[in-house]
Amino acid sequence: MTKLRALIGLIFIAILVYSGLWYTSAFKAEKEAARQLADLRDKGLRVEHGKIKLSGFPYRIVLTIDGLSIKTRAEGLDFGAESVTLISHLWTPGHWMAEARTTSLEAAQGAIALKDGYMRASFKRHSEKQAVIAIDSLTTDDFTIEAAPGIDGPISLKNWQLFLRYDGEAEPTDGLYEKRFLDFKLTLDSGNRFEVMGGVMGPGLKDWTPGALGTWRDAGGLVEFDTIDLAVRGARVKGNGSLTVDENFMPLGSASLAVAGGPALADYLKEFGVDTGDALSNLGSQAETMQFMAQMGILSINNGSVLRLKPLVEE
């Protein structure tokens, strides 16, 4: 009987200790979420949201943010969600899962617009300035690209994934460019497969204005595409490239791509308003290296103009 009482006492104490730890961690997470949103405001972003609700005891720590809206001052980025739910556990304080419902995203002055009924993400913090984020739409089929350069109407995607690795402590790679603070990997599958991997150099871009974009460019801002891999309708494209903007905020960059199945690729690009003319018509099943260049408002293939480009931001 004495042993039973001792066991019950230990269980009771363990419950009290666990409950104390859970509530301490949960309230700390709630305050941290509010602080992070306030920090975004301090950095110049427009942040609005409803209540931050805490739940999940005893197994999970769950924070639900109603009506979240994050916008840049100019029309650079506009993210909105009916609700965002953040989920973690007492034993995984640096790892959070996120679920966003009825989401929308607009970027680059509305040139890119996305919608999704349900989106999920995994956020893992390695240090104060280092984190890994993975985002996808699970297997739902309601993710829609409403607008993007070259498309005439909405496009639905069922399988896609975006991986981001942020490193605020990264050192410059050489004397010419700023540090590479963000690595990314994007995969899309809508019957045609597309994968791109790379990173972003330069200072953080906090707004989509001529001033902010010019500062990023002048400080060595560069988007590197380490791997570009496209498989579409019998065509295959593989290679790498880089991109920045010129003094008129036009795309400026180049890519070296091995292309097989040129006619099939040309037909596909024509659906997006890109007429490659004869540049790809003579390419057979054997891959041939082609030079793509964006310069002075013109996209060219092997020095032949195929598309007139627009500025990435209006002055």
Side-chain angles (χ1 to χ4, degrees):
M1 192 67 177
T2 301
K3 291 183 178 180
L4 179 59
R5 288 177 178 176
L7 179 59
I8 293 174
L10 288 174
I11 294 174
F12 181 71
I13 292 171
I15 292 173
L16 288 178
V17 171
Y18 178 84
S19 298
L21 289 173
W22 187 94
Y23 279 102
T24 299
S25 298
F27 287 136
K28 181 180 179 182
E30 184 180 24
K31 290 181 180 179
E32 177 66 15
R35 186 184 69 81
Q36 291 287 351
L37 293 172
D39 285 348
L40 292 178
R41 291 193 190 96
D42 293 341
K43 292 177 180 178
L45 297 176
R46 297 160 56 191
V47 180
E48 298 177 359
H49 61 86
K51 293 182 178 180
I52 301 177
K53 295 175 287 189
L54 177 62
S55 62
F57 182 81
Y59 303 110
R60 304 186 299 174
I61 298 174
V62 180
L63 298 174
T64 301
I65 306 172
D66 291 331
L68 179 62
S69 173
I70 301 175
K71 302 178 182 179
T72 52
R73 296 293 176 181
E75 298 178 25
L77 177 69
D78 184 345
F79 170 82
E82 183 180 277
S83 68
V84 175
T85 301
L86 306 174
I87 305 168
S88 187
H89 300 86
L90 188 61
W91 51 90
T92 58
H95 187 194
W96 287 84
M97 296 295 296
E99 299 174 349
R101 290 175 170 78
T102 315
T103 61
S104 62
L105 175 69
E106 291 188 4
Q109 296 183 329
I112 298 173
L114 313 172
K115 287 186 178 180
D116 198 1
Y118 173 86
M119 188 181 297
R120 68 177 183 178
S122 170
F123 175 86
K124 190 170 185 179
R125 183 182 294 277
H126 294 283
S127 69
E128 183 65 25
K129 295 185 178 181
Q130 295 177 323
V132 175
I133 304 172
I135 309 170
D136 64 43
S137 190
L138 195 57
T139 57
T140 60
D141 56 2
D142 57 354
F143 178 85
T144 306
I145 302 176
E146 298 284 327
I151 73 169
D152 296 325
I155 297 177
S156 296
L157 294 176
K158 187 172 183 179
N159 297 316
W160 65 273
Q161 290 181 316
L162 174 62
F163 297 91
L164 302 172
R165 183 175 63 188
Y166 177 80
D167 188 353
E169 299 175 337
E171 296 296 329
T173 54
D174 55 42
L176 297 178
Y177 298 108
E178 278 280 340
K179 62 186 180 183
R180 182 159 164 169
F181 69 90
L182 181 70
D183 293 298
F184 61 82
K185 177 181 178 181
L186 173 65
T187 61
L188 305 174
D189 188 353
S190 59
N192 304 309
R193 186 176 180 279
F194 174 70
E195 179 177 296
V196 59
M197 296 175 59
V200 183
M201 295 179 177
L205 189 60
K206 300 175 183 178
D207 212 338
W208 197 261
T209 62
L213 201 57
T215 298
W216 174 79
R217 174 200 61 207
D218 296 341
L222 185 71
V223 181
E224 291 187 315
F225 301 99
D226 300 331
T227 301
I228 301 171
D229 192 343
L230 171 67
V232 53
R233 300 179 187 173
R236 187 71 185 269
V237 180
K238 296 188 71 173
N240 55 68
S242 61
L243 183 68
T244 185
V245 294
D246 63 17
E247 64 275 8
N248 296 315
F249 303 104
M250 294 284 191
L252 175 63
S254 63
S256 179
L257 304 175
V259 180
L265 179 62
D267 289 342
Y268 178 71
L269 292 177
K270 192 172 291 185
E271 296 179 6
F272 295 87
V274 181
D275 187 354
T276 59
D278 297 329
L280 302 175
S281 59
N282 296 323
L283 299 180
S285 58
Q286 188 69 30
E288 295 186 31
T289 300
M290 311 287 288
Q291 301 300 322
F292 290 69
M293 177 76 71
Q295 185 175 345
M296 300 179 65
I298 298 293
L299 175 65
S300 62
I301 302 177
N302 284 355
N303 296 320
S305 300
V306 298
L307 181 67
R308 184 169 294 278
L309 303 172
K310 296 180 180 179
L312 296 182
V313 62
E314 297 291 343
E315 295 189 77

